[in-house]
């Protein structure tokens, strides 16, 4: 009777809270109920967060944008103060954005983040006071819905999982610049809404075997640059490693080898802007990928991901003021630079040494192919000094212009500038502007398709200064803005992930007009007779170049290309630079 009366009083007064242990029990995840063997479906994941948000005012779930699957993306925010206005909460507090399920077969982060939010809400672990958490529960929804138990042939659990490709079979972790998918476009909206100070993307590795459950792939510190790069490399990374080691979670840099052994040494993975942490770097966000080891038991991998995120929250909480200051200073520092690197190479003059915990490996004869094969022996662990190449240096740089001029016909470019909060002005009248102009000298192209493109690389240009007429409605894009790094990385054709290299301007690489030799013979003669300097150059080339001298068509083509008849649009890069005065 007494217990019934107490229950009635609690209901009337809304004053009797369940014990913390009971609340945790009420919000058991699918992962826990399966004893660490399974990961939830997309629907189960979203339902879990909806239930948390209904129970705990510190948690908010909202839909933002769409994906190629037709389902919307969600973001789930944890803020102990219950304020979810990003225009306010990011001013003083640090914001961590956690991305999960970009490759849904790598589901460790999906489960670890569900546990983390539950434990923060129920105060099983102490919630941060100066740090806000935002997560995308499952980014690649189409891949998550394409559930199977076979596509991750190298991976030890869970029992079933999603597929790497999205609904259109894109690898979303190659799409952050070209933005072919609706997922990537919505991610940009989320990123610029949340404005994260720290970014985590949870993955599972492929490659060598070793003792570690956890590896980290921080954004390359030289590329991040300046004091913020030093902060990440000299403070954030070692602090995280030490914190995890103190909790018996050893961690090492991502082991960037394929069908080889780590003790031979390896280099840091270069996260260009096509990748999530390369993209977030363009706004001076401190980014890292978590890469758990594919062969470790699933339960262990999820627990390790949880421990890593918890340690990173604690680091961010402790260093909130410094992170805010150093990011603000980084924006100002880039604006003061005269030049900007557009490609990178390993700095062979500097290396680090890892006390690497691996397994001995043997080379055996394959019973399948009859050829030598690699086989690790987990019964022969070792700790060895391993050379790690984690310093990079610019391979090529450009002078930072005052801004770029873009014709209104290149609407796809403008669309992506809009998506990424880039400021620009529209020319009000036809204007002649003195600019730096690029012509494409050379480039190479992949022979096979890569994420829906035949990607260019090793692009070289020739620069000239000329007066170009621009039309009313064309765009002036100044570089003096927070998106300066995004502008340079996308609009400079030599940059690794430039819009040019992603085939946005391939129409200029095809000559549209030509000549009929029997007609042009007479015109070519007239051109050479009227231009003595061109004629002398022509004759000298014939004397010195035997291949040229033996090609009648090559000679006519040379004259054509050095005449007024040759079309100016061919190989002309259609975005122009206005240099600083």
């Amino acid at each position: 009777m007494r217990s019934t009366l107490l229950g009635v009083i609690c209901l009337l007064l809304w004053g009797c809270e369940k014990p913390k242990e009971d609340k945790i029990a009420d919000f058991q995840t699918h992962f826990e109920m399966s004893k660490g063997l399974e990961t939830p479906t997309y629907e189960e994941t979203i339902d879990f967060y909806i239930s948390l948000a209904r129970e705990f005012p510190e948690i908010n779930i909202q839909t933002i944008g769409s994906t190629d699957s037709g389902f919307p993306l969600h973001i789930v925010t944890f803020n102990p103060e219950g304020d979810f206005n990003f225009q306010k909460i990011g001013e003083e507090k640090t914001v961590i954005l956690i991305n999960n399920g970009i490759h849904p077969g790598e589901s460790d982060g999906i489960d670890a983040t569900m546990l983390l939010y539950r434990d923060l809400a129920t105060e099983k672990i102490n919630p941060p006071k100066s740090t806000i958490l935002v997560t995308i529960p499952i980014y690649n929804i189409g891949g998550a819905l394409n559930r199977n138990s076979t596509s991750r042939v190298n991976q030890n659990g869970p029992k079933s999982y999603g597929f790497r490709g999205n609904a259109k079979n894109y690898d979303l972790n190659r799409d952050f610049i070209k933005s072919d998918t609706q997922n990537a476009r919505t991610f940009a909206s989320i990123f610029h809404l949340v404005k994260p100070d720290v970014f985590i993307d949870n993955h599972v590795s492929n490659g060598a075997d070793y003792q570690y459950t956890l590896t980290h792939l921080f954004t390359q510190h030289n590329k991040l640059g300046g004091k913020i790069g030093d902060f990440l490399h000299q403070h954030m990374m070692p602090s995280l490693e030490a914190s995890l080691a103190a909790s018996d979670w050893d961690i090492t840099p991502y082991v960037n080898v394929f069908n080889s052994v780590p003790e031979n040494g390896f280099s840091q993975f270069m996260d260009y802007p096509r990748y999530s942490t390369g993209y977030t770097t363009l706004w001076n966000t401190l980014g890292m990928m978590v890469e758990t080891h594919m062969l470790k038991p699933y339960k262990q991998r999820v627990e390790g991901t949880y421990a890593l995120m918890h340690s990173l929250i604690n680091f961010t909480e402790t260093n909130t003021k410094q992170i805010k200051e150093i990011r603000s200073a980084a924006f100002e520092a880039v604006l003061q630079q005269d030049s900007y690197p557009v490609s990178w190479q390993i700095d062979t003059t500097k290396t680090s040494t890892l006390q690497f915990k691996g397994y001995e490996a043997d080379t055996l004869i394959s019973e399948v192919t009859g050829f030598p094969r690699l086989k690790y022996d987990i019964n022969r662990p070792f700790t060895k000094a391993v050379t790690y190449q984690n310093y990079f240096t610019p391979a090529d740089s450009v002078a930072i212009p005052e801004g770029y001029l873009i014709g209104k016909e290149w609407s796809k470019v403008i669309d992506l500038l809009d998506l990424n909060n880039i400021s620009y002005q529209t020319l009000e009248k036809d204007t002649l502007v003195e600019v730096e102009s690029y012509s494409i000298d050379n480039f190479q192209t992949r022979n096979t398709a890569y994420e829906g493109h035949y990607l260019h690389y090793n692009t070289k240009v020739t620069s000239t200064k000329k007066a170009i007429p621009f039309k009313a409605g064309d765009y002036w894009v100044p570089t003096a803005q927070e998106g300066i790094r995004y502008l340079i990385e996308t609009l400079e054709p030599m940059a690794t992930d430039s819009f040019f290299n992603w085939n946005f301007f391939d129409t200029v690489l095809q000559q549209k007009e030509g000549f009929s030799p029997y007609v042009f013979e007479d015109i070519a003669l007239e051109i050479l007779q009227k231009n003595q300097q061109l004629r002398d150059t022509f004759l000298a080339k014939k004397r010195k170049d035997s291949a040229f001298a033996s090609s009648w068509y090559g000679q006519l083509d040379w004259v054509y290309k050095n005449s007024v008849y040759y079309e100016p649009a061919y190989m002309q890069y259609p975005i122009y630079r206005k240099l600083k005065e």
Side-chain angles (χ1 to χ4, degrees):
M1 180 72 179
R2 178 182 171 131
S3 119
T4 305
L5 181 60
L6 181 61
V8 171
I9 294 171
C10 285
L11 286 172
L12 290 173
L13 299 180
W14 300 92
C16 292
E17 288 283 334
K18 280 188 176 183
K20 177 172 64 177
E21 293 78 9
D22 288 349
K23 283 193 174 183
I24 294 171
D26 285 346
F27 292 96
Q28 292 289 289
T29 68
H30 185 87
F31 167 81
E32 291 172 306
M33 290 185 285
S34 70
K35 301 190 183 304
L37 298 176
E38 299 179 10
T39 190
T41 64
Y42 165 71
E43 293 86 353
E44 289 168 338
T45 302
I46 299 305
D47 285 347
F48 176 83
Y49 281 111
I50 290 172
S51 297
L52 279 184
R54 284 173 178 165
E55 177 69 20
F56 299 100
E58 301 92 338
I59 293 178
N60 174 266
I61 183 169
Q62 63 187 105
T63 59
I64 296 182
S66 61
T67 67
D68 286 350
S69 68
F71 289 88
L73 276 183
H74 293 81
I75 60 170
V76 185
T77 307
F78 176 82
N79 182 1
E81 296 178 1
D83 186 353
F84 306 106
N85 181 346
F86 288 105
Q87 292 182 343
K88 291 171 53 182
I89 60 179
E91 292 179 0
E92 295 184 359
K93 295 189 176 188
T94 48
V95 177
I96 299 177
L97 176 60
I98 303 166
N99 193 38
N100 289 315
I102 193 169
H103 300 144
E106 304 169 23
S107 54
D108 306 16
I110 295 171
D111 287 300
T113 307
M114 292 167 72
L115 295 170
L116 183 67
Y117 269 64
R118 191 270 316 278
D119 291 351
L120 288 168
T122 59
E123 298 186 4
K124 180 180 179 181
I125 57 177
N126 291 327
K129 296 180 180 179
S130 301
T131 304
I132 308 300
L133 297 187
V134 183
T135 188
I136 300 173
I138 298 180
Y139 177 50
N140 182 356
I141 298 172
L145 295 172
N146 186 7
R147 201 170 172 91
N148 71 95
S149 299
T150 56
S151 60
R152 299 286 294 182
V153 64
N154 300 315
Q155 189 167 292
N156 182 10
K159 288 183 177 179
S160 63
Y161 40 76
F163 182 64
R164 185 179 184 91
N166 87 328
K168 291 183 176 178
N169 208 34
Y170 281 98
D171 184 334
L172 294 178
N173 204 28
R174 311 291 186 272
D175 195 41
F176 286 93
I177 288 297
K178 59 189 177 69
S179 300
D180 289 335
T181 64
Q182 194 58 48
N183 301 64
R185 298 176 67 84
T186 300
F187 182 92
S189 299
I190 291 170
F191 180 78
H192 293 294
L193 170 69
V194 171
K195 299 187 186 323
D197 300 286
V198 178
F199 175 73
I200 308 171
D201 205 342
N202 286 313
H203 291 252
V204 180
S205 73
N206 290 305
D209 200 2
Y210 39 80
Q211 298 177 45
Y212 303 95
T213 298
L214 292 172
T215 71
H216 60 68
L217 199 165
F218 281 92
T219 193
Q220 208 289 316
H221 60 95
N222 301 110
K223 177 170 65 70
L224 182 56
K227 292 182 179 179
I228 191 170
D230 292 341
F231 175 83
L232 179 142
H233 182 59
Q234 298 171 9
H235 185 40
M236 185 175 180
M237 184 177 70
S239 295
L240 182 68
E241 291 173 338
S243 171
L244 287 166
S247 303
D248 295 323
W249 285 103
D250 284 341
I251 190 169
T252 194
Y254 173 72
V255 183
N256 189 23
V257 301
F258 179 76
N259 209 33
S260 181
V261 291
E263 56 264 41
N264 289 341
F266 55 94
S267 64
Q268 184 176 11
F269 182 87
M270 173 55 82
D271 56 336
Y272 289 111
R274 71 188 65 173
Y275 304 108
S276 62
T277 57
Y279 171 84
T280 59
T281 292
L282 301 182
W283 284 271
N284 300 310
T285 296
L286 296 159
M288 71 169 298
M289 289 186 188
V290 181
E291 293 275 0
T292 58
H293 189 256
M294 60 188 175
L295 296 178
K296 300 299 185 287
Y298 187 60
K299 185 173 186 292
Q300 186 175 321
R301 300 198 323 256
V302 172
E303 290 170 348
T305 304
Y306 178 105
L308 189 152
M309 290 193 294
H310 189 204
S311 290
L312 191 59
I313 291 168
N314 291 338
F315 173 85
T316 305
E317 180 77 357
T318 302
N319 294 276
T320 288
K321 183 178 179 182
Q322 188 175 5
I323 289 172
K324 285 291 186 185
E325 290 175 349
I326 205 164
R327 288 194 67 231
S328 178
F331 281 113
E332 292 301 320
V334 176
L335 294 175
Q336 300 305 315
Q337 290 175 201
D338 293 323
S339 65
Y340 185 91
V342 291
S343 62
W344 295 86
Q345 61 190 4
I346 292 172
D347 185 346
T348 57
T349 68
K350 298 178 182 178
T351 59
S352 298
T353 301
L354 305 175
Q355 294 303 313
F356 188 82
K357 297 181 178 182
Y359 296 122
E360 298 289 354
D362 299 306
T363 301
L364 309 176
I365 299 300
S366 168
E367 296 181 52
V368 178
T369 67
F371 289 93
R373 59 150 295 189
L374 182 68
K375 186 174 180 62
Y376 289 93
D377 186 348
I378 64 172
N379 296 312
R380 293 155 60 200
F382 67 74
T383 301
K384 293 180 181 179
V386 170
T387 299
Y388 179 47
Q389 294 179 302
N390 60 330
Y391 292 89
F392 283 71
T393 187
D396 193 12
S397 298
V398 296
I400 298 175
E402 182 182 341
Y404 296 93
L405 285 144
I406 306 173
K408 56 179 176 286
E409 60 273 15
W410 300 104
S411 56
K412 185 175 181 180
V413 172
I414 300 303
D415 182 42
L416 290 181
L417 298 190
D418 287 336
L419 192 64
N420 285 280
N421 285 3
I422 299 297
S423 299
Y424 56 81
Q425 291 88 45
T426 303
L427 299 185
E428 295 181 357
K429 60 181 180 179
D430 295 355
T431 309
L432 189 67
V433 184
E434 187 75 25
V435 296
E436 184 179 19
S437 168
Y438 288 149
S439 60
I440 305 298
D441 265 359
N442 200 8
F443 61 92
Q444 293 174 273
T445 304
R446 290 178 62 104
N447 293 324
T448 56
Y450 179 75
E451 297 307 323
H453 293 251
Y454 286 82
L455 187 67
H456 303 315
Y457 61 99
N458 288 341
T459 299
K460 306 296 180 186
V461 301
T462 295
S463 169
T464 57
K465 294 179 182 178
K466 59 177 71 172
I468 299 288
F470 293 92
K471 300 175 183 176
D474 288 345
Y475 299 97
W476 162 246
V477 188
T479 56
Q481 56 179 298
E482 284 195 351
I484 180 174
R485 298 181 68 158
Y486 177 85
L487 285 171
I488 296 172
E489 295 275 6
T490 58
L491 300 185
E492 292 293 337
M494 305 84 72
T496 302
D497 278 332
S498 68
F499 290 151
F500 173 83
N501 282 336
W502 280 111
N503 310 122
F504 281 34
F505 305 110
D506 277 8
T507 52
V508 307
L509 304 180
Q510 180 187 9
Q511 193 171 329
K512 300 300 187 291
E513 298 282 7
F515 60 88
S516 295
Y518 81 95
V519 177
F520 191 65
E521 281 277 2
D522 296 327
I523 299 172
L525 177 61
E526 183 180 354
I527 290 170
L528 293 175
Q529 288 174 338
K530 289 183 176 180
N531 189 331
Q532 184 63 43
Q533 184 178 357
L534 186 66
R535 177 180 174 81
D536 291 345
T537 304
F538 174 74
L539 294 174
K541 185 172 178 62
K542 287 180 69 173
R543 288 193 300 270
K544 295 177 182 178
D545 187 339
S546 59
F548 180 72
S550 63
S551 172
W552 65 268
Y553 185 85
Q555 294 177 46
L556 288 177
D557 187 59
W558 185 92
V559 177
Y560 175 72
K561 287 179 177 176
N562 285 276
S563 74
V564 295
Y565 301 104
Y566 183 60
E567 63 194 72
Y570 180 51
M571 305 299 277
Q572 171 64 55
Y573 182 61
I575 293 178
Y576 300 88
R577 294 160 41 95
K578 189 172 188 305
L579 297 177
K580 295 178 180 178
E581 295 181 359

PDB file of all heavy atoms in Angstrom, residues 438-454:
ATOM      1  N   TYR A 438      45.487  32.077 -66.653  1.00  0.00           N
ATOM      2  CA  TYR A 438      46.167  30.789 -66.772  1.00  0.00           C
ATOM      3  C   TYR A 438      45.766  30.108 -68.074  1.00  0.00           C
ATOM      4  O   TYR A 438      44.585  30.073 -68.428  1.00  0.00           O
ATOM      5  CB  TYR A 438      45.755  29.838 -65.647  1.00  0.00           C
ATOM      6  CG  TYR A 438      46.283  30.141 -64.270  1.00  0.00           C
ATOM      7  CD1 TYR A 438      45.521  29.803 -63.152  1.00  0.00           C
ATOM      8  CD2 TYR A 438      47.536  30.698 -64.065  1.00  0.00           C
ATOM      9  CE1 TYR A 438      45.979  30.031 -61.873  1.00  0.00           C
ATOM     10  CE2 TYR A 438      48.013  30.939 -62.787  1.00  0.00           C
ATOM     11  CZ  TYR A 438      47.227  30.608 -61.688  1.00  0.00           C
ATOM     12  OH  TYR A 438      47.691  30.832 -60.422  1.00  0.00           O
ATOM     13  N   SER A 439      46.734  29.544 -68.765  1.00  0.00           N
ATOM     14  CA  SER A 439      46.445  28.565 -69.810  1.00  0.00           C
ATOM     15  C   SER A 439      46.986  27.222 -69.331  1.00  0.00           C
ATOM     16  O   SER A 439      48.030  27.157 -68.678  1.00  0.00           O
ATOM     17  CB  SER A 439      47.084  28.965 -71.146  1.00  0.00           C
ATOM     18  OG  SER A 439      48.485  29.068 -71.018  1.00  0.00           O
ATOM     19  N   ILE A 440      46.249  26.172 -69.644  1.00  0.00           N
ATOM     20  CA  ILE A 440      46.631  24.846 -69.181  1.00  0.00           C
ATOM     21  C   ILE A 440      47.740  24.314 -70.075  1.00  0.00           C
ATOM     22  O   ILE A 440      47.534  24.106 -71.280  1.00  0.00           O
ATOM     23  CB  ILE A 440      45.424  23.885 -69.192  1.00  0.00           C
ATOM     24  CG1 ILE A 440      44.263  24.471 -68.384  1.00  0.00           C
ATOM     25  CG2 ILE A 440      45.828  22.517 -68.664  1.00  0.00           C
ATOM     26  CD1 ILE A 440      44.550  24.686 -66.912  1.00  0.00           C
ATOM     27  N   ASP A 441      48.905  24.110 -69.497  1.00  0.00           N
ATOM     28  CA  ASP A 441      50.053  23.607 -70.261  1.00  0.00           C
ATOM     29  C   ASP A 441      50.037  22.092 -70.371  1.00  0.00           C
ATOM     30  O   ASP A 441      50.269  21.527 -71.431  1.00  0.00           O
ATOM     31  CB  ASP A 441      51.360  24.039 -69.579  1.00  0.00           C
ATOM     32  CG  ASP A 441      51.911  25.307 -70.169  1.00  0.00           C
ATOM     33  OD1 ASP A 441      51.305  25.838 -71.107  1.00  0.00           O
ATOM     34  OD2 ASP A 441      52.945  25.789 -69.670  1.00  0.00           O
ATOM     35  N   ASN A 442      49.786  21.453 -69.238  1.00  0.00           N
ATOM     36  CA  ASN A 442      49.887  19.998 -69.221  1.00  0.00           C
ATOM     37  C   ASN A 442      49.102  19.447 -68.039  1.00  0.00           C
ATOM     38  O   ASN A 442      48.916  20.139 -67.028  1.00  0.00           O
ATOM     39  CB  ASN A 442      51.354  19.580 -69.113  1.00  0.00           C
ATOM     40  CG  ASN A 442      51.587  18.151 -69.569  1.00  0.00           C
ATOM     41  OD1 ASN A 442      50.676  17.507 -70.100  1.00  0.00           O
ATOM     42  ND2 ASN A 442      52.785  17.638 -69.339  1.00  0.00           N
ATOM     43  N   PHE A 443      48.663  18.236 -68.148  1.00  0.00           N
ATOM     44  CA  PHE A 443      48.004  17.537 -67.058  1.00  0.00           C
ATOM     45  C   PHE A 443      47.951  16.059 -67.411  1.00  0.00           C
ATOM     46  O   PHE A 443      48.103  15.675 -68.571  1.00  0.00           O
ATOM     47  CB  PHE A 443      46.584  18.070 -66.825  1.00  0.00           C
ATOM     48  CG  PHE A 443      45.660  17.913 -67.993  1.00  0.00           C
ATOM     49  CD1 PHE A 443      44.848  16.794 -68.126  1.00  0.00           C
ATOM     50  CD2 PHE A 443      45.613  18.881 -68.994  1.00  0.00           C
ATOM     51  CE1 PHE A 443      44.014  16.650 -69.225  1.00  0.00           C
ATOM     52  CE2 PHE A 443      44.775  18.736 -70.093  1.00  0.00           C
ATOM     53  CZ  PHE A 443      43.981  17.611 -70.211  1.00  0.00           C
ATOM     54  N   GLN A 444      47.773  15.254 -66.394  1.00  0.00           N
ATOM     55  CA  GLN A 444      47.560  13.825 -66.590  1.00  0.00           C
ATOM     56  C   GLN A 444      46.167  13.475 -66.086  1.00  0.00           C
ATOM     57  O   GLN A 444      45.602  14.186 -65.255  1.00  0.00           O
ATOM     58  CB  GLN A 444      48.629  13.008 -65.852  1.00  0.00           C
ATOM     59  CG  GLN A 444      50.023  13.186 -66.427  1.00  0.00           C
ATOM     60  CD  GLN A 444      51.083  12.498 -65.593  1.00  0.00           C
ATOM     61  OE1 GLN A 444      51.616  13.080 -64.642  1.00  0.00           O
ATOM     62  NE2 GLN A 444      51.380  11.256 -65.920  1.00  0.00           N
ATOM     63  N   THR A 445      45.631  12.384 -66.600  1.00  0.00           N
ATOM     64  CA  THR A 445      44.276  11.970 -66.254  1.00  0.00           C
ATOM     65  C   THR A 445      44.259  10.484 -65.935  1.00  0.00           C
ATOM     66  O   THR A 445      44.923   9.688 -66.626  1.00  0.00           O
ATOM     67  CB  THR A 445      43.310  12.254 -67.421  1.00  0.00           C
ATOM     68  OG1 THR A 445      43.380  13.643 -67.762  1.00  0.00           O
ATOM     69  CG2 THR A 445      41.873  11.915 -67.036  1.00  0.00           C
ATOM     70  N   ARG A 446      43.521  10.126 -64.900  1.00  0.00           N
ATOM     71  CA  ARG A 446      43.371   8.711 -64.557  1.00  0.00           C
ATOM     72  C   ARG A 446      42.771   7.925 -65.719  1.00  0.00           C
ATOM     73  O   ARG A 446      41.887   8.415 -66.430  1.00  0.00           O
ATOM     74  CB  ARG A 446      42.454   8.552 -63.338  1.00  0.00           C
ATOM     75  CG  ARG A 446      43.050   9.029 -62.030  1.00  0.00           C
ATOM     76  CD  ARG A 446      42.031   8.869 -60.909  1.00  0.00           C
ATOM     77  NE  ARG A 446      41.663   7.465 -60.717  1.00  0.00           N
ATOM     78  CZ  ARG A 446      42.097   6.708 -59.717  1.00  0.00           C
ATOM     79  NH1 ARG A 446      42.942   7.208 -58.825  1.00  0.00           N
ATOM     80  NH2 ARG A 446      41.699   5.453 -59.596  1.00  0.00           N
ATOM     81  N   ASN A 447      43.260   6.719 -65.897  1.00  0.00           N
ATOM     82  CA  ASN A 447      42.759   5.867 -66.982  1.00  0.00           C
ATOM     83  C   ASN A 447      41.466   5.152 -66.608  1.00  0.00           C
ATOM     84  O   ASN A 447      40.781   4.621 -67.484  1.00  0.00           O
ATOM     85  CB  ASN A 447      43.816   4.832 -67.376  1.00  0.00           C
ATOM     86  CG  ASN A 447      45.028   5.464 -68.014  1.00  0.00           C
ATOM     87  OD1 ASN A 447      44.906   6.430 -68.752  1.00  0.00           O
ATOM     88  ND2 ASN A 447      46.199   4.930 -67.725  1.00  0.00           N
ATOM     89  N   THR A 448      41.170   5.105 -65.313  1.00  0.00           N
ATOM     90  CA  THR A 448      39.954   4.434 -64.846  1.00  0.00           C
ATOM     91  C   THR A 448      39.109   5.411 -64.045  1.00  0.00           C
ATOM     92  O   THR A 448      39.617   6.392 -63.497  1.00  0.00           O
ATOM     93  CB  THR A 448      40.302   3.214 -63.975  1.00  0.00           C
ATOM     94  OG1 THR A 448      41.141   3.629 -62.888  1.00  0.00           O
ATOM     95  CG2 THR A 448      41.024   2.153 -64.784  1.00  0.00           C
ATOM     96  N   ALA A 449      37.831   5.113 -63.969  1.00  0.00           N
ATOM     97  CA  ALA A 449      36.909   5.997 -63.258  1.00  0.00           C
ATOM     98  C   ALA A 449      37.237   6.032 -61.773  1.00  0.00           C
ATOM     99  O   ALA A 449      37.601   5.017 -61.167  1.00  0.00           O
ATOM    100  CB  ALA A 449      35.475   5.524 -63.465  1.00  0.00           C
ATOM    101  N   TYR A 450      37.103   7.198 -61.190  1.00  0.00           N
ATOM    102  CA  TYR A 450      37.346   7.396 -59.760  1.00  0.00           C
ATOM    103  C   TYR A 450      36.216   8.251 -59.207  1.00  0.00           C
ATOM    104  O   TYR A 450      36.140   9.442 -59.482  1.00  0.00           O
ATOM    105  CB  TYR A 450      38.701   8.072 -59.540  1.00  0.00           C
ATOM    106  CG  TYR A 450      39.042   8.339 -58.087  1.00  0.00           C
ATOM    107  CD1 TYR A 450      39.430   7.303 -57.247  1.00  0.00           C
ATOM    108  CD2 TYR A 450      38.969   9.626 -57.564  1.00  0.00           C
ATOM    109  CE1 TYR A 450      39.751   7.550 -55.915  1.00  0.00           C
ATOM    110  CE2 TYR A 450      39.287   9.873 -56.236  1.00  0.00           C
ATOM    111  CZ  TYR A 450      39.672   8.832 -55.423  1.00  0.00           C
ATOM    112  OH  TYR A 450      39.980   9.083 -54.111  1.00  0.00           O
ATOM    113  N   GLU A 451      35.310   7.613 -58.482  1.00  0.00           N
ATOM    114  CA  GLU A 451      34.181   8.311 -57.862  1.00  0.00           C
ATOM    115  C   GLU A 451      33.418   9.186 -58.862  1.00  0.00           C
ATOM    116  O   GLU A 451      33.134  10.355 -58.622  1.00  0.00           O
ATOM    117  CB  GLU A 451      34.659   9.132 -56.668  1.00  0.00           C
ATOM    118  CG  GLU A 451      35.258   8.286 -55.557  1.00  0.00           C
ATOM    119  CD  GLU A 451      34.330   7.168 -55.102  1.00  0.00           C
ATOM    120  OE1 GLU A 451      33.113   7.397 -55.054  1.00  0.00           O
ATOM    121  OE2 GLU A 451      34.829   6.071 -54.814  1.00  0.00           O
ATOM    122  N   GLY A 452      33.121   8.591 -60.013  1.00  0.00           N
ATOM    123  CA  GLY A 452      32.308   9.273 -61.015  1.00  0.00           C
ATOM    124  C   GLY A 452      33.068  10.251 -61.883  1.00  0.00           C
ATOM    125  O   GLY A 452      32.449  10.969 -62.680  1.00  0.00           O
ATOM    126  N   HIS A 453      34.393  10.280 -61.781  1.00  0.00           N
ATOM    127  CA  HIS A 453      35.206  11.232 -62.544  1.00  0.00           C
ATOM    128  C   HIS A 453      36.434  10.533 -63.110  1.00  0.00           C
ATOM    129  O   HIS A 453      36.831   9.465 -62.643  1.00  0.00           O
ATOM    130  CB  HIS A 453      35.670  12.384 -61.644  1.00  0.00           C
ATOM    131  CG  HIS A 453      34.562  13.267 -61.165  1.00  0.00           C
ATOM    132  ND1 HIS A 453      34.368  14.552 -61.616  1.00  0.00           N
ATOM    133  CD2 HIS A 453      33.571  13.038 -60.263  1.00  0.00           C
ATOM    134  CE1 HIS A 453      33.315  15.075 -61.016  1.00  0.00           C
ATOM    135  NE2 HIS A 453      32.815  14.178 -60.192  1.00  0.00           N
ATOM    136  N   TYR A 454      37.030  11.160 -64.102  1.00  0.00           N
ATOM    137  CA  TYR A 454      38.361  10.786 -64.570  1.00  0.00           C
ATOM    138  C   TYR A 454      39.286  11.923 -64.129  1.00  0.00           C
ATOM    139  O   TYR A 454      39.478  12.907 -64.841  1.00  0.00           O
ATOM    140  CB  TYR A 454      38.366  10.554 -66.084  1.00  0.00           C
ATOM    141  CG  TYR A 454      37.698   9.263 -66.464  1.00  0.00           C
ATOM    142  CD1 TYR A 454      36.317   9.177 -66.572  1.00  0.00           C
ATOM    143  CD2 TYR A 454      38.454   8.105 -66.647  1.00  0.00           C
ATOM    144  CE1 TYR A 454      35.694   7.977 -66.885  1.00  0.00           C
ATOM    145  CE2 TYR A 454      37.843   6.894 -66.964  1.00  0.00           C
ATOM    146  CZ  TYR A 454      36.464   6.828 -67.084  1.00  0.00           C
ATOM    147  OH  TYR A 454      35.844   5.636 -67.375  1.00  0.00           O
TER     148      TYR A 454
END
